[in-house]
Every structure is written in C-alpha cells, then in structure tokens.
Amino acid sequence: MAKDILTKKQQNIVMISSYTAKGDMENLEKALNKGLDEGLTVNEIKEILVQAYAYCGFPRSLNGLNAFKRVVESRDGDKLGEEGKVLPKDTDKFAYGDNVQFKLTGSHIKGGIYEFAPAIDQYLKEHLFADIFARGVLSYQEREVATIAFLSTINGIEPQLNSHINVGKHNGLTDEQVDEILKLTSSVYKGGDFGLGGENTANAKYFIGESYLNPLTKDGVASVNVTFEPGCRNNWHIHHKGGQILFVTEGRGYYQEWGKPARELKPGDVVNIPAEVKHWHGAAKDSWFSHIAISVPAEGASTEWLEEVSDIEYGKLK
Ligand code: MN
C-alpha cells in the first residue's frame, strides 16, 4: 500500500491538520475520532490544533479546538498523554527560538523582511520557535508534518509551503513521504464544490488511474465535473466535430496538445479545446484534480480514444 509510506500517526496528523486548515468541521470530527481510535493522545492532538494558529490563524485553531473538545467529551478512556512544557520565566526566548530555528532549518534566518519588520522576527523566534516548539509532546518532524499539511491545504502560499517541505526533509522526511502528505491534503478538496459523483466505469479503460464523474447538466449542453486521483490522466484523444471546454475547479493538473509542452492547470483556468486536436488532460502526480468538462454540441460529434500517456512522458512533468 502506498499509504504505508507514512506511519498511521503521521497520516492522522496530516488529516487532522488539513481539515483544520480547510475549516471542514464535519470531516475534522471524523479525523479527530480516528486519530484517538488509532492511538494519538489527547495532548498530542491539542498540540496540533494549538500550532495551527501560527499557520492558519486563530479562527481555524479555535474552531478546531472546539470540535476536539466536543469529541473528547463524547468519548471515554482516551489517553491524555504527556503534557506540553512551559519555558522557565527567565529564558532568553529570542536566543532559544533562534537556536530551534537553526536546528529546524540548518541556517540562521535573517535579513529581508525580518530586518524590514523586526517585530515579525521577534514573534517567530520568541513565540512560535520558543514557546510552541519548546512544548514537546510532538517531535520537530511531527510538527513539520502538521505544518506541511496546514500550508498545502491553503491556496496561494507556495513559497512558505516549499520552504517547509525543505524543513521537513531537513528533519528526516523523504521525498516519497512529502508527496504522500500532499496527496492526502489535496484529497480534502476532492470533487470540490461540484461534487465527486460516481466512479468513472464507462470510460475507465481510457484512463490510467481512478477517475470520477458527476454529471451536472444532461439536456441541451452536457456538462460533467470530472475528478482525477493523483497521477490519473486520460489517454490521448480527439473530440471530432464539436470541441470541449474545461473549467478547472480543484487541485493541480495538466492539459497537453500533441507536439506541444503540457500546460499546468489550477482552479479558475479555462481550456478551450478545438475539434480535431489530439490532447489529454489529468492530475499532477501529487494532487487530486477536478475540472468541469463541457462538450461543444455539434452534429455527429464523437470522441476518438488513442494511446496512453506513457509513464515516461508523464513522469517528465513536475
Ligand atoms: Mn478532452
């Protein structure tokens, strides 16, 4: 199983962190129950939800803690576990945090925005890397697993996500483990606002990997929300007579026309595929991906399915 790349504990940290960052209370409660069932302590989960505030803000953290309080009160016999430690009053927190940041990242971070706005450097070091990281309970690596999960669930913060992926690797995470974290966190959006629908059985033989179809309109102009699991893509194909329009709704994926470089796709992108153009579309290797597909109506329109997009070809995409 691919999922064995991460331990059960790591998987639970990822899902709790990701649903907290998304603010999906219903699935968060399920993830919290699962985490407790599979051996996380109450205090370990509290640490994840407290740390959340540094990366997704107090509202997400407080909502997560409220959900967890409800969950804990609805159950019996969960282990409290080790409690978080508080730094002694006379600690030089700036120096302590600077040292933790050095251990985490392998370098002393200064200059740039930290010189431009020294207050943020002070808060990061004295509070996040001193007060929070000194609490223990979770290892630095476990805290980075949570951070990568928070950041990869929120859009538009790729620089921070990439730097924390590097921090995670500096603390022993492998490339495969990072890819697995990204796959899991992209799954919290699978199907997105337009719904996952059912397994794509009708055209499964023209897809590599699992895909799902949620028909949105059937009369007049047909439209369907198509969801691809990470690594899933359709074969090269041609829409004859009528073309196809794609509206990207969730995740990260690709569109490629024969003889041209692949185009990376993200939510909000539109692809207007002319009739008779050989092409494929699908997910990135580490992300769930959804687009709404509209078939441009035309007399005698049909789709011709061709060869697979080979692993070698697909593997060249980042
Ligand atoms: Mn197509």
Side-chain angles (χ1 to χ4, degrees), residues 243-306:
Q244 186 183 41
I245 303 170
L246 310 178
F247 297 96
V248 179
T249 53
E250 294 293 346
R252 193 169 74 88
Y254 296 100
Y255 166 72
Q256 186 172 25
E257 292 182 1
W258 187 255
K260 293 188 184 172
R263 175 181 160 197
E264 188 177 1
L265 298 176
K266 58 181 192 319
D269 286 339
V270 177
V271 185
N272 199 351
I273 307 168
E276 316 309 331
V277 168
K278 182 172 170 180
H279 68 279
W280 66 270
H281 24 119
K285 69 174 170 46
D286 60 4
S287 180
W288 284 78
F289 175 68
S290 299
H291 63 56
I292 293 173
I294 293 182
S295 307
V296 177
E299 189 71 29
S302 67
T303 297
E304 183 186 355
W305 291 100
L306 302 162

